[in-house]
Amino acid sequence: MSESAELTELYSAIEETTRVVGAPCRSDTVRPILTAYEDVIAQSVISFRVQTGTSDAGDLDCRFTLLPKDIDPYAVALSNGLTAKTDHPVGSLLDEVHRKFPVDCYGIDFGAVGGFKKAWSFFRPDSLQSASELAALPSMPSGVSENLGLFDQYGMTDTVSVVGFDYAKRTVNLYFTGASPESFEPRGIQAILRASGLPEPSEELLRFGEQAFAIYVTLSWDSSKIERVTYSVNTPDPMALPVRIDPRIEQLVKDAPLGSAGHRYVYGVTATPKGEYHKIQKYYQWQTRVEKMLTADAG
């Protein structure tokens, strides 16, 4: 059975974008994922992402957002052999979030090399959720409850807009889109990173953070500490941001296919125990009906 013209066009865009950023494109990895989610591609927001300085730096990540809430993206991945079933708590957490909270829609991430990696649960922008309630879920890492004091201090607790589930790395992301203004000021950034046990922020991150709209944290089941803190900026012109632009990021901005989304980007700077790295998400297919919700789509 031949694939649809829509899938052929999307695969070509992914292949061209990998060429632009110097990443491989494995057809036997990408095409089965496109086929598994074919029914929802037309109504999805689609974006491409590259990052620096991590194990994923050589990959191109692709994201489909707005998968309907009656579709379990992880179950689709399992049933199509895109990821292996696991007894680890990460394998049950999405279902717990779905049962307890008013999920509006889902998303997935996959790499042109690494295959299926993540799923996302999005809440409506007028129905943000509480980190303290999420912490009570049986499969949620204990680090969420152990960092509630930090979240409270910076007005983050009741502003969770997205929960991300990284099946490849067995981590969870919590996105906060209503943190206090202090959280984005240099002293606030310094304090949040210190409280998380992370190195002092660079001057670049301090300047960048003042333009950010969201903070998200990454936690695992191996430690109660926050593993990473990311600040994200929405921008039509990443080259104008107060950061040094990596050549691969510049290539994505200048040379990757535009698609229907035009010039829409989310740029992130992530603080980790080993230093900072940068990431950029370039939108390829857009849906105007969800602009407010997708201000949180910055993973």
Side-chain angles (χ1 to χ4, degrees):
M1 182 177 177
S2 61
E3 67 184 19
S4 67
E6 183 179 60
L7 283 197
T8 299
E9 181 180 355
L10 178 54
Y11 181 80
S12 295
I14 293 171
E15 190 174 46
E16 173 64 11
T17 305
T18 59
R19 185 193 65 77
V20 164
V21 301
C25 183
R26 294 181 179 168
S27 176
D28 58 348
T29 296
V30 175
R31 289 189 187 277
I33 298 173
L34 301 187
T35 300
Y37 295 94
E38 180 175 9
D39 291 345
V40 295
I41 286 175
Q43 66 198 77
S44 297
V45 169
I46 299 173
S47 55
F48 304 136
R49 190 187 74 159
V50 294
Q51 60 189 49
T52 66
T54 74
S55 59
D56 291 329
D59 206 352
L60 175 77
D61 283 336
C62 309
R63 175 172 296 179
F64 298 161
T65 305
L66 301 187
L67 308 188
K69 61 184 176 183
D70 58 348
I71 292 177
D72 181 332
Y74 182 52
V76 171
L78 287 173
S79 64
N80 285 273
L82 305 178
T83 190
K85 188 172 178 60
T86 178
D87 293 329
H88 188 278
V90 73
S92 55
L93 187 55
L94 183 147
D95 184 61
E96 292 176 7
V97 170
H98 179 78
R99 291 176 183 276
K100 175 76 174 179
F101 297 91
V103 173
D104 186 55
C105 62
Y106 290 108
I108 64 161
D109 278 12
F110 63 94
V113 176
F116 181 86
K117 296 179 179 180
K118 302 176 185 177
W120 307 86
S121 294
F122 288 82
F123 307 122
R124 289 177 55 84
D126 59 357
S127 183
L128 301 179
Q129 299 301 310
S130 169
S132 60
E133 293 185 17
L134 285 160
L137 295 175
S139 297
M140 187 64 74
S142 63
V144 177
S145 60
E146 295 188 33
N147 284 284
L148 288 176
L150 175 64
F151 302 154
D152 284 341
Q153 184 178 354
Y154 289 95
M156 300 160 69
T157 300
D158 296 322
T159 66
V160 179
S161 55
V162 186
V163 182
F165 317 87
D166 190 324
Y167 298 100
K169 296 182 178 177
R170 296 184 171 179
T171 58
V172 170
N173 292 333
L174 296 183
Y175 285 74
F176 302 95
T177 55
S180 68
E182 184 185 359
S183 306
F184 302 99
E185 297 170 356
R187 283 187 297 180
I189 296 172
Q190 289 172 325
I192 289 171
L193 296 192
R194 285 188 195 127
S196 302
L198 295 170
E200 287 291 308
S202 65
E203 288 298 320
E204 188 174 60
L205 174 53
L206 295 179
R207 293 194 305 273
F208 178 85
E210 291 183 298
Q211 299 184 28
F213 73 94
I215 306 169
Y216 71 90
V217 300
T218 303
L219 299 113
S220 76
W221 286 263
D222 299 328
S223 169
S224 61
K225 289 185 176 181
I226 292 172
E227 289 194 353
R228 299 188 294 277
V229 175
T230 300
Y231 282 81
S232 297
V233 171
N234 267 320
T235 179
D237 184 11
M239 308 305 293
L241 293 171
V243 295
R244 290 170 296 171
I245 302 293
D246 182 84
R248 292 180 77 244
I249 290 178
E250 183 174 358
Q251 288 161 350
L252 183 75
V253 172
K254 292 185 174 180
D255 300 326
L258 273 181
S260 64
H263 296 280
R264 297 176 185 269
Y265 307 88
V266 171
Y267 197 105
V269 178
T270 298
T272 81
K274 296 182 179 180
E276 296 170 9
Y277 66 86
H278 293 201
K279 60 184 78 173
I280 189 168
Q281 183 166 306
K282 176 191 181 298
Y283 290 97
Y284 173 76
Q285 179 171 292
W286 190 249
Q287 303 285 350
T288 56
R289 63 189 173 86
V290 290
E291 289 191 1
K292 288 184 179 180
M293 187 195 72
L294 287 180
T295 57
D297 186 15

